[in-house]
Amino acid sequence: MIYLDNSATTRTLDAAADAARTYMTTRFFNPSAAYSAAAETEKAVEAARARLAFALDAKPEEIVYTSGATESNNAAISGALKAMRGKGRLIVGATEHPSAYEVVKAYSRQGYDVVEAPVDSTGAVDLAALSTLLTEDTRLVSVMQVNNEVGAVNDCAAIYRAVKAAAPEAVVHTDGVQGFLKVPFDAKDCDFYALSAHKFHGPKGVGALYVKTGVRFAGGQAEDRRSGTTNTPGIMGMDAAVADYLAHLEEYRKHMMACKLRLAKNLSGIRDVLINGPKPAQGAPHILNVSILGVRGEVMLHALEAREVFVSTGSACSAHKKGKNRILTAMGVTGARQEGALRLSLCPFNTLEEMDAAAAIIAEQAAFLRKYKRR
Ligand code: PMP
């Protein structure tokens, strides 16, 4: 099997699964309980929190654990707006993930003025266009760090500066799901940051939200920023995955980029294959989006599946929806180019050999399927 759908989810590391198991079986205590065995579990969770904070250049108390990035995005947007007085403008990137995009959009029904920040042809938010949208009454700007379908990297530092200069009251939320650990990021460049463990070899159903000190945020009950029994297996599983990534940070980033460049070069050799999004060397190291003209993405996906190569036509969240791909449309990628789009997403454990083998299978299937193209 060649698994090239790591932006949808990754295989959980054995060390992460082992850690989760330990906190389900032997060290299962509720960290808020009063006996000393529970205090040990609490200590472990606090050490995990400190490591996660370190990875973001943040402070431990700025980390709120969640059930994943869908919750983190929801909590950031609704928690920030709940804590503010008065309505105003909300700006959402045109290519945001539905878990941020739909939440912001829905506020228009409550009297907010919701506008979209357009992206350029590479899928990155157009900073000049965003700047013209910033008004004094802007309350929130939600722009992702890395786009999950094409790997475009947004200039979060410049976006943060522009927002704070034009609308000092506004908060900036960054969906960091596809960028965390893969592309450098410093929490000083946002007010909120969402991440999810299963995108970097941790377990599913656990993630975090960074909330900058001093930024008003209405979370769970009373003083709690998030209610509920602490998910110790998830948190400790995620911590093992963070620890592994941090121990190999540059090596993992370099290796994924080397694989991506090799794959891009191999695929560019196939007739009528176009790369969507940024130039491969400029995007995130793990996401490559290509269009194989004349072959529908779903048809290619299933042909590759039969050869045990797993890819996607877009994000899993939009893969089952009929009609247009919102992300590619926003970039101006339409028609046959949109229909033929495939997303290939990598992890540090893919190999250069896999990049050669996958490209050879794609070339073979493209030649085969094009013979049956309706004219
Ligand atoms: N944001 C982005 C950019 C994503 O790619 C995803 C996962 N597809 C999410 C948010 C949602 O993350 P989770 O699965 O943890 O809810």
Side-chain angles (χ1 to χ4, degrees):
M1 170 182 80
I2 303 179
Y3 183 72
L4 303 178
D5 200 16
N6 288 281
S7 287
T9 199
T10 58
R11 179 182 184 279
T12 305
L13 276 184
D14 289 342
D18 290 347
R21 185 180 169 79
T22 299
Y23 283 85
M24 284 191 271
T25 53
T26 50
R27 304 182 74 181
F28 62 88
F29 309 103
N30 186 328
S32 335
Y35 27 86
S36 63
E40 265 174 43
T41 299
E42 190 184 9
K43 248 195 196 160
V45 169
E46 292 317 310
R49 189 190 302 280
R51 194 194 321 265
L52 187 55
F54 169 80
L56 278 172
D57 288 317
K59 299 194 270 282
E61 64 272 21
E62 296 177 313
I63 303 294
V64 180
Y65 284 115
T66 66
S67 63
T70 296
E71 181 188 334
S72 298
N73 283 337
N74 271 268
I77 296 160
S78 60
L81 296 180
K82 228 196 276 177
M84 279 178 196
R85 247 180 273 151
K87 301 198 166 128
R89 173 166 283 197
L90 310 180
I91 303 176
V92 63
T95 58
E96 294 301 293
H97 187 267
S99 58
Y101 185 80
E102 298 298 340
V103 176
V104 177
K105 283 275 179 174
Y107 275 92
S108 63
R109 292 199 291 273
Q110 296 187 33
Y112 287 85
D113 165 30
V114 178
V115 295
E116 276 185 37
V119 295
D120 62 21
S121 61
T122 73
V125 165
D126 180 334
L127 188 59
L130 171 65
S131 300
T132 66
L133 297 174
L134 288 166
T135 50
E136 231 174 80
D137 75 339
T138 297
R139 295 275 178 267
L140 175 133
V141 177
S142 185
V143 169
M144 65 205 329
Q145 184 190 0
V146 170
N147 179 266
N148 51 305
E149 294 204 19
V150 298
V153 181
N154 284 314
D155 187 346
C156 294
I159 290 172
Y160 191 71
R161 277 196 305 271
V163 173
K164 296 291 165 173
E169 308 262 306
V171 291
V172 176
H173 171 53
T174 306
D175 175 344
V177 171
Q178 299 292 346
F180 181 59
L181 297 169
K182 290 159 191 143
V183 175
F185 188 82
D186 188 314
K188 73 174 172 17
D189 297 325
C190 69
D191 295 312
F192 298 96
Y193 186 85
L195 61 94
S196 181
H198 74 103
K199 308 290 187 178
F200 54 88
H201 305 283
K204 294 169 184 53
V206 61
L209 176 65
Y210 159 85
V211 183
K212 192 181 241 82
T213 304
V215 170
R216 284 158 56 88
F217 171 71
Q221 300 156 356
E223 295 292 293
D224 279 0
R225 289 183 301 178
R226 203 259 190 176
S227 323
T229 303
T230 308
N231 173 12
T232 52
I235 291 167
M236 297 313 294
M238 173 158 74
D239 181 52
V242 172
D244 178 76
Y245 236 102
L246 288 179
H248 303 93
L249 203 59
E250 285 312 313
E251 174 197 334
Y252 281 1
R253 287 174 179 169
K254 271 200 194 126
H255 178 69
M256 286 188 286
M257 184 52 95
C259 285
K260 179 175 135 173
L261 292 177
R262 176 91 147 237
L263 186 59
K265 184 162 178 280
N266 287 339
L267 295 176
S268 304
I270 308 173
R271 180 172 59 87
D272 286 341
V273 168
L274 302 171
I275 288 177
N276 302 313
K279 288 205 173 77
Q282 281 156 17
H286 64 304
I287 301 177
L288 183 67
N289 192 298
V290 296
S291 289
I292 299 162
L293 300 184
V295 183
R296 289 173 59 86
E298 302 96 87
V299 174
M300 179 56 88
L301 182 153
H302 292 301
L304 295 178
E305 177 191 355
R307 303 290 308 272
E308 297 212 8
V309 177
F310 296 101
V311 303
S312 84
T313 53
S315 72
C317 322
S318 55
H320 298 296
K321 288 191 191 143
K322 280 226 151 54
K324 283 193 191 152
N325 176 312
R326 168 169 59 82
I327 281 70
L328 294 178
T329 302
M331 294 164 52
V333 172
T334 55
R337 187 163 178 177
Q338 181 173 126
E339 279 174 18
L342 281 187
R343 178 185 70 178
L344 310 157
S345 52
L346 313 179
C347 80
F349 310 112
N350 284 123
T351 63
L352 290 169
E353 292 70 35
E354 286 180 325
M355 302 304 114
D356 294 346
I361 294 170
I362 292 171
E364 169 202 299
Q365 292 303 313
F368 177 73
L369 293 166
R370 277 172 176 159
K371 279 200 223 148
Y372 296 97
K373 195 179 144 193
R374 262 185 270 148
R375 287 178 201 277

